[in-house]
Amino acid sequence: MKEVLILGSTGSIGCNTLEVLQDLEGTHRLVGVSGHGNPDRLIEQALRYKPAVVGVTQGSAEEEVRRGLKNSGIRILGGHTVLCDLIESLDPDIVLVAVSGSAGLKPSMTAVDRGKRLALANKESLVMAGHLLMPAAKERGAEILPVDSEHSAVFQALRGEQHMEIEKIYLTASGGPFVDFPLEKLRNVTPEAALKHPTWNMGRKITIDSATMMNKALEIVEAKWLFDLPSDRIEVLVHRQSIVHGMAEFVDGSIIAQLGIPDMKVPIRFALTFPERKPSNRRYFDLTQCSRLTFEEPNPDRFPALDLGFRAAKEGGLSGTVLNAANEAAVEMFLKGSIPFDEITSSVHKVMEDMENKDAPSLEEILTADEWAREETVKCFS
Ligand code: NDP
Ligand code: MG
């Protein structure tokens, strides 16, 4: 029986993971969950799935969770180190990190330091600190299994293959809601329009990142670390149908792809059950219904964020951190209606131009750069 801890159980990936775990009853057991600012959902999940421990990261939500779970026998942990405390005290086999943003970094590092299987949805961890996480995983015998669908696809395509025989990998992108939108009107799109993703149902932040393609930019850096490939061996293709999630091309010209309906439960399940596959109550995938699969080169004028992703992957150091933090700050401002859509990427670009890079930064330097980039982004508009 594998014990599973979900960090960020109240989010989109977290909720999907809880459903997958119900299917895996005989082999996997939920031992802990965490939530941030949605105490009602956390209470409801705890009462339904009965983990031994519940962590609450947002101070103001803790009291409400304690009240809601009174007499339930479930232990509640709070405080700003709660995510790492959960890993240390529960000592689970698998830690699924599904919190959003840079809050995922420290728990990802703790999971790796303790030699756990890290089922990683939080791509920010690798974007910020791939140079710390990957060697630490090797040294501690920890496994890092991607939950991100494109990376899960590439991981599956590379199973049993030799690294030196990889020519390149392809990450697919749906193109988001504005793939055909008139370029000159992009400036005026509203948060509501940007939050309508054509194929995937996800959290708010990542949905905006899909509209700007900053999500793919972050995924380029994520892929570089996961698969140990330079940025020029990573390619992005617009694939509107979201059926082919990722591909690997080999030196002999063969391409291996992973296909399936767009459903995050598939990569989540694989990260939990690897190296095995377990049966699921999946939706039937009818190949005859998707006879047309299209692949296009992304237009750099429409998606300037992509170039920033390639740049961060190439430059390394603190550039992934700055890319991610500036973007988080800009997306937050866009969602509040304070800045126009096209200025998300242009402000990130400006902050990257102004940054001072450093090779192999420490965790402390990463966190300082993260804070700096957020402040600089806000300053772009003051
Ligand atoms: P959501 O916004 O839906 O969920 C985020 C989760 O993190 C919630 O449980 C939230 O708690 C918690 N959280 C938010 N802020 C903090 C914080 N400061 N400290 C601790 N916990 C916090 O996001 P998604 O599920 O969409 O995405 C989660 C991660 O997975 C992201 O890194 C994203 O890039 C990645 N990912 C997501 C995919 C998807 O399909 N959704 C696909 C591939 C990767 P609460 O809700 O209680 O406030
Ligand atoms: Mg993805």
Side-chain angles (χ1 to χ4, degrees):
M1 197 59 118
K2 299 265 184 240
E3 294 188 341
V4 181
L5 164 65
I6 307 174
L7 302 180
S9 63
T10 45
S12 163
I13 294 285
C15 293
N16 272 305
T17 307
L18 286 168
E19 281 184 44
V20 171
L21 281 177
Q22 276 193 305
D23 260 17
L24 299 176
E25 228 176 20
T27 52
H28 292 67
R29 188 162 64 90
L30 179 73
V31 292
V33 293
S34 88
H36 189 64
N38 189 346
D40 290 344
R41 184 173 290 172
L42 189 59
I43 293 165
E44 190 231 311
Q45 289 183 338
L47 293 174
R48 180 157 175 206
Y49 296 102
K50 305 209 166 22
V53 187
V54 167
V56 196
T57 36
Q58 194 176 81
S60 55
E62 190 183 330
E63 215 23 68
E64 203 171 326
V65 174
R66 285 194 187 279
R67 241 180 290 127
L69 296 179
K70 208 170 156 195
N71 304 326
S72 66
I74 298 170
R75 198 149 67 91
I76 295 142
L77 294 183
H80 59 269
T81 58
V82 63
L83 299 178
C84 298
D85 297 344
L86 281 167
I87 301 172
E88 312 248 338
S89 69
L90 285 166
D91 198 33
D93 300 294
I94 304 176
V95 182
L96 191 136
V97 179
V99 300
S100 51
S102 51
L105 176 54
K106 281 189 180 165
S108 292
M109 294 201 56
T110 304
V112 162
D113 278 342
R114 296 189 64 104
K116 301 295 170 201
R117 169 173 299 185
L118 170 61
L120 190 60
N122 181 270
K123 61 193 80 183
E124 296 87 341
S125 297
L126 282 172
V127 170
M128 298 170 77
H131 63 288
L132 300 178
L133 276 169
M134 297 312 290
K138 205 167 176 190
E139 193 185 313
R140 312 290 301 186
E143 294 172 294
I144 302 183
L145 290 197
V147 167
D148 213 347
S149 56
E150 297 78 359
H151 304 71
S152 175
V154 171
F155 183 81
Q156 294 181 55
L158 293 178
R159 255 181 120 178
E161 301 291 345
Q162 301 290 330
H163 188 269
M164 59 196 267
E165 291 170 1
I166 306 169
E167 182 71 35
K168 62 161 90 158
I169 59 170
Y170 296 90
L171 307 176
T172 56
S174 70
F178 306 130
V179 66
D180 294 318
F181 203 75
L183 273 182
E184 66 283 3
K185 290 193 182 156
L186 268 185
R187 186 171 178 78
N188 300 321
V189 303
T190 59
E192 291 68 39
L195 284 168
K196 284 200 186 99
H197 196 278
T199 51
W200 291 97
N201 186 7
M202 311 178 283
R204 283 163 66 84
K205 152 79 171 44
I206 188 174
T207 304
I208 301 301
D209 289 351
S210 299
T212 56
M213 251 209 228
M214 192 62 86
N215 181 46
K216 218 48 57 180
L218 299 172
E219 290 184 357
I220 292 164
V221 188
E222 182 186 13
K224 160 192 145 152
W225 289 113
L226 277 173
F227 307 117
D228 190 21
L229 289 171
S231 56
D232 59 3
R233 301 248 226 117
I234 302 170
E235 199 163 311
V236 172
L237 291 172
V238 174
H239 168 53
R240 296 169 188 242
Q241 299 81 16
S242 296
I243 295 295
V244 176
H245 303 302
M247 301 179 264
E249 183 175 345
F250 299 92
V251 287
D252 62 356
S254 284
I255 296 181
I256 300 183
Q258 188 257 351
L259 287 74
I261 48 162
D263 179 354
M264 286 310 295
K265 291 192 193 71
V266 178
I268 290 170
R269 173 186 298 270
F270 189 71
L272 295 174
T273 65
F274 175 84
E276 290 171 36
R277 291 185 188 271
K278 303 269 184 216
S280 75
N281 304 323
R282 70 199 195 290
R283 273 192 282 153
Y284 180 65
F285 179 42
D286 184 354
L287 271 168
T288 62
Q289 294 303 304
C290 65
S291 51
R292 200 172 132 77
L293 298 178
T294 57
F295 300 92
E296 304 154 58
E297 248 180 61
N299 174 350
D301 295 330
R302 184 176 296 281
F303 299 118
L306 271 186
D307 193 46
L308 299 181
F310 281 114
R311 177 170 156 187
K314 200 168 167 187
E315 289 175 4
L318 289 167
S319 49
T321 298
V322 170
L323 173 75
N324 175 61
N327 178 58
E328 274 188 29
V331 170
E332 204 179 308
M333 285 189 276
F334 168 70
L335 283 172
K336 281 190 193 143
S338 331
I339 66 168
F341 180 77
D342 60 345
E343 288 192 27
I344 299 176
T345 307
S346 60
S347 58
V348 176
H349 181 240
K350 168 150 196 331
V351 176
M352 282 186 80
E353 288 287 301
D354 293 347
M355 73 177 281
E356 221 172 280
N357 207 352
K358 183 173 191 303
D359 261 350
S362 65
L363 182 58
E364 217 177 346
E365 288 166 327
I366 291 170
L367 296 176
T368 306
D370 178 279
E371 220 167 284
W372 173 85
R374 284 168 206 273
E375 285 164 11
E376 285 302 300
T377 312
V378 173
K379 276 193 215 156
C380 290
F381 302 98
S382 56

